[in-house]
Amino acid sequence: MNDSSRGASPTAGYWGPTDQGAAPAGPAYDEHPAQQTRPMPIVPDEPANGGDQNDDRGAARPGGPLFRDETPQEPMAVPPPSPPKKRAGRDLRAAIGVGVGLGAVVAASLFIVKAVFVGVIAIAVVVGLWELTSRLDEKKGIKAPLVPLAVGGAAMVVAGYARGAEGAWVAMALTALAVLIWRMTEPPEGYLKDVTAGVFAAFYVPFLATFVAMMLTAGDGSQRVLMFLVLTVVSDTGAYAVGWRFGTHKLAPRISPGKTWEGLGGAVTFAMVAGALLMEFLIDGGAWWQGLLIGLAVAASATLGDLGESMIKRDLGIKDMGTLLPGHGGIMDRLDSLLPTAPVVWLLLVLFVGS
């Protein structure tokens, strides 16, 4: 008997045992209950929506039914990701606490005994010089002599308070001479860069701070210093608040990426309004329009001072000059906008209301 008399092959559609005779017509039967299976997917003859005919026929077609018993479903809408919230770069609570504490010390010394406030300025100058010379030594190997700078810087502030601009210039010259002589006690290698950095530090920190002490010598000196401090803080606050909320156009991205033109506009607006109010109600003989000019000048000088120190820190490769003030950095990080603003306010007040 040949193979053709054996009947259909088991693979031809009959899955039951071969010894039970011919398979009945229709779907194959089994001894066990048939398992439920999903309907076969319907694959259209033509590509949907102009798609490629070589698409994977087992893949689901978007927008069309998958199975006979399924109804098309709209794709789920995925909400767009929410933009990240802006965050302040520093610990705001610590910054506010330290700022309030420093303000209390300044106010107490400024309005109780003027000489005590001169001492506060001298201490800030010495600490600022220590931070600056330490960073120069750590990052660049520049050894500006701290001892003559600290002694000369404190003497410069006292001389400015006692003898005015003449005393400040004499003290500045003597400090520079002391730096040149002090550095001669060490090997000549690096002498030029060390003394150059020392003279720069003497001008940048104590000499500019001397103008605050000279402001204090006027009859309403306490009010003048208070106006100078308030305007600088208001300018910085306006720049921070407006720049953080609305800032999009970078002011100087290569120097300070966080500063924007919108922030500068906030600094100018806040400082001019505060200047008009303070000049009108705080300074004897002052007028509101003079305060507008002083506020504008303060916003410009404070911004330039901040950018100037940012240039120094970028050259040194550091974020802050120190860590003495939580939330602020170091003393120099608070003096950056105050130092160049002091001679500007001193000069404008002398021109507007006299010395």
Side-chain angles (χ1 to χ4, degrees):
M1 184 169 61
N2 56 21
D3 292 340
S4 62
S5 63
R6 296 179 183 272
S9 171
T11 60
Y14 176 62
W15 296 348
T18 58
D19 58 352
Q20 294 184 1
Y29 290 91
D30 197 5
E31 294 182 356
H32 303 286
Q35 296 181 353
Q36 296 290 335
T37 60
R38 292 175 62 87
M40 294 294 291
I42 300 174
V43 180
D45 295 333
E46 296 295 330
N49 300 327
D52 188 1
Q53 292 184 359
N54 295 326
D55 290 345
D56 184 5
R57 294 183 177 272
R61 300 289 181 135
L66 300 180
F67 305 101
R68 296 179 189 272
D69 55 350
E70 283 188 343
T71 57
Q73 296 183 358
E74 293 293 333
M76 295 182 63
V78 179
S82 58
K85 296 182 179 180
K86 292 184 178 181
R87 297 181 61 88
R90 298 184 182 274
D91 187 346
L92 192 57
R93 292 184 179 181
I96 293 175
V98 171
V100 171
L102 290 175
V105 172
V106 168
S109 60
L110 185 60
F111 289 98
I112 296 176
V113 181
K114 289 184 178 181
V116 175
F117 183 72
V118 175
V120 172
I121 300 173
I123 292 173
V125 162
V126 171
V127 176
L129 287 169
W130 168 71
E131 290 179 346
L132 179 58
T133 55
S134 297
R135 302 296 87 79
L136 290 174
D137 188 11
E138 292 173 2
K139 301 300 181 178
K140 295 292 185 179
I142 300 174
K143 301 183 180 301
L146 178 60
V147 174
L149 284 173
V151 175
M156 209 179 300
V157 173
V158 175
Y161 178 71
R163 301 300 299 269
E166 181 182 354
W169 277 113
V170 172
M172 173 65 196
L174 293 176
T175 302
L177 181 60
V179 168
L180 296 175
I181 296 174
W182 189 279
R183 180 58 180 79
M184 290 179 183
T185 61
E186 299 180 7
E189 289 78 16
Y191 177 83
L192 184 59
K193 67 177 182 179
D194 292 346
V195 297
T196 302
V199 174
F200 163 75
F203 174 82
Y204 181 44
V205 184
F207 182 75
L208 294 181
T210 301
F211 287 90
V212 183
M214 291 194 298
M215 257 188 273
L216 197 59
T217 60
D220 57 347
S222 298
Q223 287 82 355
R224 297 190 184 200
V225 173
L226 179 63
M227 179 179 178
F228 152 71
L229 294 174
V230 170
L231 285 182
T232 307
V233 172
V234 166
S235 174
D236 289 347
T237 303
Y240 173 81
V242 176
W244 177 79
R245 182 64 180 85
F246 303 104
T248 56
H249 300 85
K250 301 298 184 183
L251 177 63
R254 297 180 61 183
I255 302 174
S256 182
K259 287 184 171 45
T260 61
W261 285 103
E262 292 82 1
L264 178 60
V268 171
T269 302
F270 278 52
M272 290 182 70
V273 172
L277 294 174
L278 291 171
M279 200 67 180
E280 182 71 26
F281 298 106
L282 186 64
I283 304 300
D284 295 335
W288 64 269
W289 63 268
Q290 297 170 340
L292 290 177
L293 296 177
I294 294 177
L296 176 62
V298 166
S301 61
T303 302
L304 291 174
D306 200 350
L307 290 175
E309 200 204 15
S310 295
M311 282 285 286
I312 297 174
K313 290 190 289 188
R314 281 197 169 274
D315 188 21
L316 296 177
I318 58 177
K319 180 181 179 182
D320 295 322
M321 282 289 186
T323 58
L324 187 61
L325 304 177
H328 293 268
I331 289 289
M332 283 300 300
D333 298 299
R334 292 300 87 205
L335 296 179
D336 55 359
S337 55
L338 290 168
L339 289 173
T341 304
V344 173
V345 175
W346 173 82
L347 177 60
L348 291 177
L349 287 175
V350 169
L351 293 177
F352 288 150
V353 296
S355 59

